[in-house]
Amino acid sequence: RIDELEAHLQAGGGNVSTRVHADEAAALAHLGGAADAARDAWALLVFDSLAPRQVEYAVRLNYTTVPNTNRISKRLTRGLDTEYQRYVTSGFLTLQRAVDGFAFGLAARHGAEPLPPPADVAWLAPFPTAAYSQNPFYLAVQSLLPLLLTLCQLFPAALLTKSVVEEKETRLAQTMRIMGLRHGVHVGSWYVTALVQFGANALLCALVCSLFLPHTPFWVLLLYLSLFCLTCVAFSFLVAACFSNAVLAA
């Protein structure tokens, strides 16, 4: 009956070559052992039973071509998820329809009532999704807000970098160490100064963002922007270590 199934698949049109293995393990070993075989393989049909009145099989495709079924539902979704269409575009339903047509035809040839395969009378439709509201302002600002927040950090970061390089250029740090200033106090003063400046910047940005993000807690906005400002401080110190001219560093 495997030969009949191969002939049925070839009769459906297209240039599809088939290979028969002893069992599923042998097929997986073949696909895993040869790179060309894994690249050129379309699907793996695993038959547990191929009798005229009992056909049990599974269609196995590459997991990247069909929707992920590890989760039954998505908690965070907006609108209709079109991943279900990959069952059509990957050829999963086409192959399933071909095998079902062979199974129903095999049963009809052995005395069963001729019936069309389910794919001939069934329609593919997605599950309904929860209602949601869409704000055109958020759609317009979603790509501009990260750029705006980055621009808000450019001037403070440039000033901090220039100040550090200017101190290094005028050798003020060496002068203060000669006067008894400890290294840890000197470095800590720079961090405290930077954190105060960028903390005020983060607070101002959080206040502005809270005007059009009313459902986001203020402390979440402040924490997110504060962490972003901390990265700017670290980046400014990194850039300052690479320059000896304050004007060029800024």
Side-chain angles (χ1 to χ4, degrees):
R1 292 194 178 93
I2 295 295
D3 296 336
E4 296 179 5
L5 176 60
E6 290 181 324
H8 177 78
L9 295 177
Q10 295 293 340
N15 186 16
V16 179
S17 60
T18 57
R19 179 187 293 269
V20 180
H21 298 274
D23 50 21
E24 182 179 4
L28 293 177
H30 173 75
L31 294 177
D36 294 338
R39 184 185 66 245
D40 299 335
W42 173 26
L44 175 62
L45 292 176
V46 182
F47 286 90
D48 296 329
S49 175
L50 190 56
R53 296 180 180 272
Q54 183 179 7
V55 178
E56 297 181 4
Y57 70 97
V59 180
R60 300 189 59 173
L61 273 73
N62 191 306
Y63 74 96
T64 60
T65 61
V66 292
N68 191 338
T69 57
N70 290 333
R71 293 181 301 175
I72 299 178
S73 61
K74 293 184 178 180
R75 296 182 57 188
L76 301 178
T77 181
R78 185 179 66 181
L80 180 63
D81 189 359
T82 59
E83 285 190 357
Y84 75 96
Q85 298 176 357
R86 296 168 66 179
Y87 281 114
V88 178
T89 58
S90 65
F92 180 91
L93 292 180
T94 302
L95 189 57
Q96 183 185 29
R97 182 181 183 277
V99 177
D100 286 347
F102 170 78
F104 278 79
L106 180 64
R109 291 194 300 270
H110 287 77
E113 180 183 357
L115 293 174
D120 289 349
V121 296
W123 291 86
L124 178 65
F127 280 102
T129 60
Y132 70 98
S133 60
Q134 186 169 331
N135 193 324
F137 173 76
Y138 293 151
L139 294 178
V141 80
Q142 64 181 357
S143 58
L144 297 178
L145 184 59
L147 178 62
L148 180 61
L149 294 177
T150 303
L151 293 177
C152 291
Q153 310 299 330
L154 286 181
F155 185 67
L159 287 182
L160 179 59
T161 304
K162 180 180 178 182
S163 299
V164 175
V165 177
E166 189 174 20
E167 182 191 70
K168 182 170 59 174
E169 184 180 6
T170 57
R171 299 185 181 277
L172 289 177
Q174 286 80 356
T175 303
M176 289 184 290
R177 288 180 184 177
I178 294 174
M179 298 174 62
L181 180 65
R182 289 181 296 179
H183 177 71
V185 176
H186 175 246
V187 175
S189 64
W190 271 116
Y191 272 102
V192 171
T193 303
L195 291 178
V196 170
Q197 294 177 354
F198 281 86
N201 193 6
L203 179 61
L204 181 60
C205 291
L207 290 174
V208 174
C209 292
S210 64
L211 297 178
F212 56 88
L213 296 174
H215 300 294
T216 304
F218 180 77
W219 69 269
V220 174
L221 290 174
L222 184 60
L223 177 62
Y224 172 76
L225 295 172
S226 299
L227 293 176
F228 181 69
C229 289
L230 286 178
T231 61
C232 293
V233 173
F235 178 74
S236 299
F237 288 151
L238 175 63
V239 173
C242 301
F243 290 91
S244 58
N245 188 293
V247 177
L248 183 61

